[in-house]
Amino acid sequence: MTATTRPSAEPSAGPHILGIDIGGTKLAVGVSSPSGQLLATDRIPTNPAESSEQTLARLIDACRAVIAKAAVPVAAAGIGCVGPLDQKTGYVISPVNIPGWRRVPLVDTIRAGLKIPVFLDNDANAAALGEHRFGAGRGVRNMIYMTISTGIGGGIIVDDRLYQGENGNAGEMGHMCVRFDGRRCPCGNIGCVEAYASGTAIAARAREAVDADRAAAGASLLKLAAGDPSGITAKLVVEAVRRGGDPLAQRIWDETINALGSGLVSVIHIFNPRRIVLGGGVTNAGDLLFEPLRRYVSKYAVKMLADVCDIVRAGLGDQVGVMGAVAVGLDGYARSLMG
Ligand SMILES: [Zn+2]
């Protein structure tokens, strides 16, 4: 759904919010109306050679420009940022994909630059809030969000509120163990969902399978990768499955579904959600992903819980970063008004 097709009702019911999306390779900013319509947006590339001070100065300039372009009073800013971060102090600790950022006072710097209240959360929680307020989770009281891309993250909405956990780190659904004797995960644990079903893990498992048995190697998968196993990606695995006739690609994909499905079954049993919203690049597989996942869940989850839970694709698409940050700002602003 694009900004132009989103309903723009209730023009004055609530504040306009600035959203700031800080990822590893780009910074995106946007001003949203109270109903979630983006009035102005901008993107600036990150520069690994820059200090964090220089990057934040450019970011503040971009924020000022986008607020001027939207030409509305902005009540607060929300930031969705790659972690780890300390939400209480507003510091970003040392995100692995932003070299040079070490204990950056993100919230204080942006607040001093823009003179408005600023609220911070990690990118996965921000996306969960964004999907809940503006996307595929609208009107749903209990919702789980998972993003399945190079890694797997998530956020938990309970009774219309983001569940933060003891120190703001709840929702690490990628690190649910689905095989206690399984593959090593980048987090150090064993058998995590992420070790099987992230885009990175799907590609790695497919490459290993091809290397282990060249004779049985999926003909269409290898052909799609121009005969070079190192060129195999999750996207090509999905494409080989879509074309059919490649048992190796099908086996890798089935294992992906089983890992994700067993993780979702646990989530359903713990939280009894109304909806699970899945986003991230791997969900571009569409029905190839969602149909077998739904079958897995209806087969293995307790019926009373499975019956009330639907599993759907995220609704915000490329806007999830900025709209998630907007939702963080709205949420923080509303809480600040309540004292
Ligand atoms: Zn893990």
Side-chain angles (χ1 to χ4, degrees):
M1 189 183 285
T2 66
T4 48
T5 58
R6 194 168 302 135
S8 57
E10 47 170 344
S12 59
H16 289 82
I17 300 287
L18 171 72
I20 304 173
D21 171 29
I22 302 184
T25 55
K26 63 157 180 60
L27 309 169
V29 295
V31 173
S32 167
S33 77
S35 59
Q37 190 176 24
L38 280 172
L39 306 176
T41 58
D42 196 11
R43 260 167 195 248
I44 52 176
T46 54
N47 177 355
E50 248 178 13
S51 70
S52 59
E53 290 83 2
Q54 289 169 316
T55 307
L56 289 182
R58 279 199 301 133
L59 177 62
I60 288 167
D61 285 345
C63 290
R64 288 188 184 127
V66 89
I67 290 170
K69 194 173 166 197
V72 290
V74 168
I79 308 174
C81 183
V82 288
L85 44 84
D86 184 334
Q87 207 188 13
K88 286 205 173 72
T89 61
Y91 272 68
V92 179
I93 311 301
S94 56
V96 285
N97 44 5
I98 315 184
W101 282 39
R102 298 276 177 277
R103 288 202 59 78
V104 174
L106 184 59
V107 167
D108 283 351
T109 308
I110 303 284
R111 187 192 292 131
L114 298 178
K115 313 271 187 298
I116 52 175
V118 178
F119 304 94
L120 169 70
D121 213 323
N122 70 57
D123 50 355
N125 278 348
L129 281 169
E131 285 292 339
H132 180 244
R133 190 177 282 267
F134 303 117
R138 267 180 301 184
V140 171
R141 198 171 164 81
N142 296 295
M143 180 199 110
I144 301 292
Y145 171 78
M146 270 174 88
T147 174
I148 312 163
S149 61
T150 50
I152 295 181
I156 301 161
I157 306 285
V158 175
D159 290 340
D160 281 326
R161 297 185 62 146
L162 181 74
Y163 176 72
Q164 294 277 5
E166 187 62 24
N167 63 3
N169 289 296
E172 286 289 353
M173 266 142 333
H175 303 296
M176 279 184 296
C177 179
V178 289
R179 273 181 83 163
F180 67 83
D181 56 352
R183 294 171 67 86
R184 179 73 70 175
C185 178
C187 75
N189 196 0
I190 287 168
C192 298
V193 175
E194 180 169 311
Y196 292 89
S198 69
T200 317
I202 294 167
R205 288 190 297 106
R207 280 186 222 120
E208 286 167 25
V210 168
D211 283 339
D213 191 354
R214 282 295 184 105
S220 81
L221 180 57
L222 251 187
K223 202 167 152 193
L224 287 166
D228 178 6
S230 70
I232 292 173
T233 61
K235 199 175 170 186
L236 292 186
V237 172
V238 169
E239 185 53 31
V241 171
R242 195 184 307 279
R243 291 182 184 199
D246 186 334
L248 182 144
Q250 187 63 53
R251 174 163 58 83
I252 297 297
W253 190 244
D254 290 345
E255 194 176 49
T256 306
I257 299 295
N258 291 346
L260 263 178
S262 54
L264 293 188
V265 166
S266 291
V267 162
I268 287 169
H269 289 161
I270 295 167
F271 292 103
N272 189 193
R274 172 69 185 83
R275 186 165 298 165
I276 294 175
V277 175
L278 303 180
V282 173
T283 61
N284 289 333
D287 288 347
L288 274 185
L289 177 75
F290 284 90
E291 287 181 1
L293 261 186
R294 290 178 187 124
R295 281 199 298 275
Y296 188 103
V297 165
S298 67
K299 183 172 176 189
Y300 292 106
V302 171
K303 188 173 180 338
M304 275 187 73
L305 289 86
D307 281 353
V308 296
C309 181
D310 48 26
I311 300 170
V312 304
R313 194 169 178 186
L316 293 175
D318 290 344
Q319 289 183 355
V320 68
V322 169
M323 291 312 296
V326 166
V328 169
L330 265 177
D331 213 48
Y333 185 70
R335 269 186 284 113
S336 72
L337 293 183
M338 291 189 292

